Amino acid sequence: MLRRFLLSTKTNLFQNPNHPLSPSLTTIRTMSSTSSQRMFQLKLDPLTGNTEWVIIDENNNDEEQTFNQPLLATTSYLDMLNDSTRNTAFRQAIEKTVTKPCHVLDIGAGTGLLSMMASRAMDGKGTVTACESYLPMVKLMKKVMRLNGMEGRIKVFNKRSDELEVGSDISSRADVLVSEILDSELLGEGLIPTLQHAHDNLLVENPLTVPYRATTYGQLVESTFLWRLHDLRSNEAGASDGIRLAPPGLESVIGVKRQQYAMHCDPIGEELKPLSEPFKIFEFDFWKRPESYGETELCIKATDDGRVHAIVSWWVLQLDREGTIYYSTAPRWIRSPTITSPVDWCDHWKQCVWFVPGSGISIFKGGDINLHAIHDDISISYNLNTRVSTTEVLHDGLTIGDFQLSLPPERAAIYGDEGWRLSMLKAVKSVLQGRGNLLCLVADDSVYLPLLVAKFSEAPHVISSFSRLKEKGLQYLQAAARASNLPPNCIKTVEKGVKQLTMHDTNQKKVDLLIAEPFYFGHDGMLPWQNLRFWKDRTTLDHILSEDAIIIPSKGILRACAIHLPDLWKSRSCLSKIEGFDHSGVNATLGACGHLPELEEGPCLPFSLWQCGEFDVLSETFDVMEFDFTKQICQCEGKSQVKFTKTGVCHGFALWIDWVMDSQNSAVISTGPDKRYWKQGIKLLATPRTVGSQGSTNVQACCSADLEASFNPSNGELKIIHDFL
């Protein structure tokens, strides 16, 4: 996995996970003695956490050498370029706005699509300046421009827009701004600071802009599913294990971050009850300098009785000054006579969800509720008749302002899930029964397992290698242990990673129980088998494990099923002409997976299947291979026959791991498609295939297929081969 870090003399503005290039990804740019640009990318080994630098040089035009892997496959560029509604709206607005030769500035140019639209609108006259900070995209942009005969008509800068200077980089201020630097929340890609700098330094007074304006909207909703994603305290209140991760006084220390979360809300539309009409929140004009801070007070009338669990929000772009061209990210249940959402499903822009703290707010039809909305440079936040202190001193000596453990919403829901807890409890009880003075090591980032093992051990001695929390982590675990009536000092945290652990850390005692969920912070967007880091950790720790050490989970089973997935497949398929511009040269780099040349395969990508638009399961679930964690990590291979149960078009396979927690196979935690808190690995076919069950009347349908997989322990990669019979 490539991580991109944008480091320069100024602070990076792009701090939102919905940016086409995840902000946790990082780039370091340098200048060589010959003034060429060079970019260093950090390549991460998910099994070890080790990193190595990969160099990309501006002057290296060998595309095969530079991009011999789909470098940008996990970004949203491909999905964005496949969004025909977006592309058409921008093309129409640019043609309507750029009607004579002038200077056009494109910020965040990507493949240069908007720049080429602007140049074409001026018949190649005027000036177009394309600004793109990410070197691999600049290389792709130049390739696309060469394919379309545009290379000499557009001036390209491998810089952020706030690094451009009039007089040295560009001769004059621009008359027109065309830009698409929007995320699902609208502001997370640095829209406000970018516009501020552009208006102050790069644009003429009262410039023309595409888009012209953006407006954010919201709606109050009731949803048990959304409530479970954040209210850990309420959901764990009835847990039979007696563990309280968020007991009274600590509920504000552990939980999900107060922010907007990008999510496709249409799949949960039937589980969601609207409690208000849609309401306008903020309006941002691109044609004038925006303010860094804004707030508004709204009085919202309830349209039904219920409990407000969340605010669902979206935005609408007005692309032209006259207000005839729009683009909306509204969920499909929102209808407008003048504004339509994209016809095709897309993943690069979703709705956003803001969780109302705790168990929500009760309202009655016709009643009023006050909403206080605030925006800063990169985010929007809300308050509904609630005040959350950030400086409260808790009874255990923890200060909320100094320390908060932020969980991903899915992890908070898992920790509050009674079924998941019972599986963990069953596995732990079965191995602890009759064993005293047992030393346990928790190998991953779990805060639940140290408490669970300590509670049910006769003489608890638990070590947590949760190195990120360090001293505050120990304070939290000790406070949570007291709230769960556990002995004092029964849990020890080690302020180092698993790779550095020695017998000194265990007081010269061998570990009797190695346990993990497994769960690692930062792996939320990774493929399921990348949590096999636990297997790598277990191997690394072999020297401190006792001969009869118990390993939980004891094994992992890679499982799969064939899927009908037209929306995701279309969004990830190969590009050809986009509004008249050839983009076929970028497919390999962007990880396209449809209509590929023979013998070429698209990458396997992490998605929650239920978030992927229309989908259907076309086969039985089958086992592909097993990973035995009682042994050291090794090469694994497996092959299974796919038995189709329905007639339909197969677009690929969903793969996941079921974690077998005990040696008796009695406690199994599945992460499959029917479990909405986990991501699956989605392997899309180069060409969709019509399939059917045995005896199908469709003579073109394949009735079976073989799927092979091999796991490489040196790099954590899973190679998947399929053959339709």
Side-chain angles (χ1 to χ4, degrees):
M1 180 180 180
L2 290 171
R3 306 190 69 191
R4 183 178 74 93
F5 296 77
L6 279 172
L7 302 180
S8 70
T9 55
K10 298 182 181 179
T11 302
N12 172 31
L13 302 178
F14 307 129
Q15 296 293 325
N16 192 290
N18 301 311
H19 188 269
L21 287 155
S22 172
S24 62
L25 306 178
T26 301
T27 295
I28 296 179
R29 278 203 318 269
T30 64
M31 299 290 289
S32 73
S33 58
T34 58
S35 297
S36 67
Q37 293 273 2
R38 174 172 287 183
M39 188 193 73
F40 295 83
Q41 283 195 317
L42 213 57
K43 185 177 181 181
L44 172 68
D45 182 341
L47 292 187
T48 64
N50 295 333
T51 56
E52 63 175 327
W53 289 105
V54 177
I55 300 174
I56 297 177
D57 198 302
E58 183 183 38
N59 291 336
N60 181 2
N61 292 318
D62 184 349
E63 298 293 340
E64 293 302 319
Q65 178 182 344
T66 304
F67 298 130
N68 57 359
Q69 296 291 330
L71 181 68
L72 303 175
T74 57
T75 70
S76 61
Y77 280 115
L78 185 62
D79 176 77
M80 189 178 297
L81 291 167
N82 269 312
D83 184 352
S84 58
T85 305
R86 163 195 174 269
N87 300 335
T88 300
F90 271 91
R91 192 258 306 160
Q92 290 174 342
I94 287 172
E95 290 177 351
K96 189 174 180 181
T97 303
V98 184
T99 57
K100 60 183 180 181
C102 59
H103 184 187
V104 179
L105 173 63
D106 181 1
I107 296 179
T111 61
L113 178 61
L114 304 188
S115 293
M116 292 188 294
M117 288 178 177
S119 180
R120 184 175 61 186
M122 297 187 290
D123 292 325
K125 302 172 184 177
T127 302
V128 179
T129 301
C131 176
E132 171 59 52
S133 65
Y134 188 43
L135 181 56
M137 287 308 303
V138 171
K139 293 170 74 69
L140 281 189
M141 187 195 317
K142 291 179 178 179
K143 184 175 183 180
V144 171
M145 288 178 179
R146 285 196 300 272
L147 284 173
N148 291 279
M150 288 275 191
E151 191 172 22
R153 294 164 58 173
I154 298 167
K155 191 170 184 181
V156 177
F157 288 95
N158 180 206
K159 293 183 176 183
R160 292 203 318 265
S161 61
D162 62 355
E163 296 173 323
L164 284 180
E165 294 184 4
V166 175
S168 57
D169 297 312
I170 56 178
S171 59
S172 63
R173 289 178 176 245
D175 307 290
V176 181
L177 171 67
V178 297
S179 186
E180 191 280 272
I181 45 174
L182 314 172
D183 68 346
S184 295
E185 190 180 3
L186 187 71
L187 304 182
E189 288 189 22
L191 174 64
I192 288 179
T194 300
L195 287 178
Q196 287 175 338
H197 180 269
H199 280 282
D200 290 344
N201 300 278
L202 304 174
L203 301 175
V204 299
E205 190 174 352
N206 298 318
L208 299 175
T209 64
V210 177
Y212 182 77
R213 173 180 292 133
T215 306
T216 63
Y217 293 86
Q219 188 173 34
L220 307 182
V221 301
E222 177 180 270
S223 168
T224 300
F225 175 74
L226 295 179
W227 167 61
R228 292 191 186 281
L229 286 173
H230 77 282
D231 189 7
L232 176 58
R233 181 188 176 189
S234 297
N235 284 302
E236 72 169 1
S240 58
D241 55 27
I243 303 297
R244 297 295 176 264
L245 295 175
L250 283 177
E251 63 268 26
S252 298
V253 172
I254 184 171
V256 302
K257 246 175 146 178
R258 288 178 60 76
Q259 66 178 47
Q260 295 204 74
Y261 290 90
M263 183 184 303
H264 288 292
C265 291
D266 287 319
I268 59 171
E270 294 183 359
E271 306 170 50
L272 184 148
K273 179 181 178 182
L275 295 176
S276 75
E277 295 294 337
F279 47 84
K280 183 187 294 188
I281 306 170
F282 288 114
E283 196 169 80
F284 301 92
D285 292 319
F286 289 68
W287 54 273
K288 65 181 180 181
R289 190 184 193 279
E291 297 296 327
S292 293
Y293 179 86
E295 59 181 306
T296 185
E297 293 277 355
L298 300 174
C299 183
I300 302 167
K301 190 168 292 292
T303 57
D304 208 340
D305 299 344
R307 182 167 287 277
V308 182
H309 290 134
I311 300 169
V312 173
S313 65
W314 61 93
W315 47 257
V316 174
L317 276 188
Q318 177 185 327
L319 286 107
D320 64 329
R321 178 182 290 182
E322 294 76 18
T324 62
I325 305 170
Y326 289 92
Y327 184 101
S328 172
T329 63
R332 296 193 184 277
W333 68 77
I334 301 296
R335 305 296 180 190
S336 170
T338 58
I339 303 172
T340 57
S341 297
V343 176
D344 296 326
W345 176 90
C346 63
D347 194 54
H348 60 98
W349 288 324
K350 310 176 181 71
Q351 295 77 51
C352 278
V353 173
W354 176 274
F355 301 119
V356 176
S359 57
I361 299 174
S362 180
I363 60 173
F364 300 95
K365 184 176 181 178
D368 293 331
I369 186 168
N370 294 320
L371 171 69
H372 182 215
I374 298 172
H375 80 76
D376 57 20
D377 276 346
I378 58 171
S379 64
I380 298 173
S381 58
Y382 308 101
N383 198 358
L384 280 170
N385 295 338
T386 59
R387 295 290 184 269
V388 178
S389 170
T390 58
T391 57
E392 177 185 355
V393 178
L394 306 176
H395 64 77
D396 285 296
L398 293 175
T399 302
I400 294 178
D402 293 337
F403 168 71
Q404 284 184 298
L405 175 57
S406 294
L407 300 171
E410 293 80 8
R411 184 56 42 175
I414 290 168
Y415 280 156
D417 183 78
E418 176 70 1
W420 181 87
R421 285 195 176 210
L422 284 174
S423 293
M424 286 294 188
L425 176 60
K426 186 174 184 179
V428 168
K429 273 189 167 181
S430 67
V431 301
L432 294 180
Q433 191 170 14
R435 297 185 59 137
N437 198 26
L438 174 147
L439 174 60
C440 169
L441 174 61
V442 181
D444 64 356
D445 294 335
S446 175
V447 292
Y448 172 76
L449 289 178
L451 299 170
L452 182 68
V453 175
K455 187 173 184 68
F456 292 96
S457 297
E458 294 180 10
H461 187 186
V462 182
I463 300 174
S464 172
S465 62
F466 201 171
S467 59
R468 292 179 183 225
L469 290 181
K470 298 186 178 178
E471 177 123 2
K472 286 294 185 181
L474 177 59
Q475 283 184 273
Y476 165 77
L477 287 174
Q478 288 177 342
R482 286 194 291 273
S484 300
N485 299 315
L486 299 179
N489 302 318
C490 62
I491 299 173
K492 171 187 175 183
T493 59
V494 181
E495 297 181 24
K496 59 174 70 172
V498 165
K499 295 189 292 292
Q500 288 79 42
L501 290 179
T502 67
M503 292 289 291
H504 174 75
D505 300 301
T506 63
N507 293 323
Q508 307 304 316
K509 188 178 186 306
K510 292 276 189 173
V511 172
D512 304 298
L513 171 62
L514 179 68
I515 188 170
E517 296 185 21
F519 165 62
Y520 295 93
F521 278 115
H523 276 212
D524 313 318
M526 293 189 179
L527 292 161
W529 43 91
Q530 290 174 330
N531 274 328
L532 291 175
R533 176 175 170 181
F534 167 68
W535 200 10
K536 186 75 172 181
D537 287 346
R538 174 257 178 273
T539 302
T540 302
L541 293 167
D542 198 62
H543 66 289
I544 65 171
L545 299 179
S546 63
E547 290 186 6
D548 59 347
I550 300 168
I551 312 295
I552 298 179
S554 64
K555 66 181 177 181
I557 304 174
L558 181 68
R559 312 196 77 196
C561 65
I563 47 175
H564 172 71
L565 207 59
D567 293 328
L568 182 63
W569 190 88
K570 184 177 180 182
S571 77
R572 303 294 311 184
S573 62
C574 282
L575 302 168
S576 53
K577 289 286 185 76
I578 302 177
E579 298 299 325
F581 296 106
D582 187 354
H583 274 67
S584 59
V586 305
N587 287 318
T589 309
L590 297 182
C593 46
H595 305 305
L596 293 171
E598 194 165 344
L599 301 180
E600 284 193 26
E601 289 287 337
C604 199
L605 300 170
F607 281 98
S608 292
L609 192 58
W610 71 278
Q611 287 270 286
C612 291
E614 180 187 351
F615 79 92
D616 194 11
V617 176
L618 301 178
S619 75
E620 296 177 350
T621 294
F622 55 93
D623 295 353
V624 182
M625 72 173 80
E626 289 190 1
F627 311 104
D628 187 352
F629 304 142
T630 64
K631 301 175 182 178
Q632 296 193 24
I633 194 168
C634 61
Q635 176 90 19
C636 296
E637 296 179 349
K639 180 177 180 179
S640 292
Q641 186 176 53
V642 186
K643 296 181 180 178
F644 298 106
T645 56
K646 294 180 182 178
T647 299
V649 177
C650 177
H651 294 95
F653 298 92
L655 300 101
W656 64 94
I657 292 181
D658 281 359
W659 303 94
V660 181
M661 306 310 292
D662 60 342
S663 57
Q664 292 77 35
N665 295 350
S666 62
V668 179
I669 294 176
S670 177
T671 63
D674 59 334
K675 309 296 182 182
R676 293 191 290 188
Y677 303 142
W678 279 274
K679 282 184 170 64
Q680 292 79 46
I682 306 297
K683 177 67 174 179
L684 294 173
L685 302 179
T687 303
R689 302 293 295 267
T690 300
V691 300
S693 59
Q694 291 287 346
S696 171
T697 57
N698 189 331
V699 295
Q700 295 180 331
C702 296
C703 294
S704 66
D706 287 336
L707 188 141
E708 294 183 61
S710 60
F711 172 71
N712 185 341
S714 65
N715 57 19
E717 290 183 1
L718 189 76
K719 185 177 181 181
I720 301 165
I721 301 173
H722 49 76
D723 183 21
F724 284 82
L725 307 176

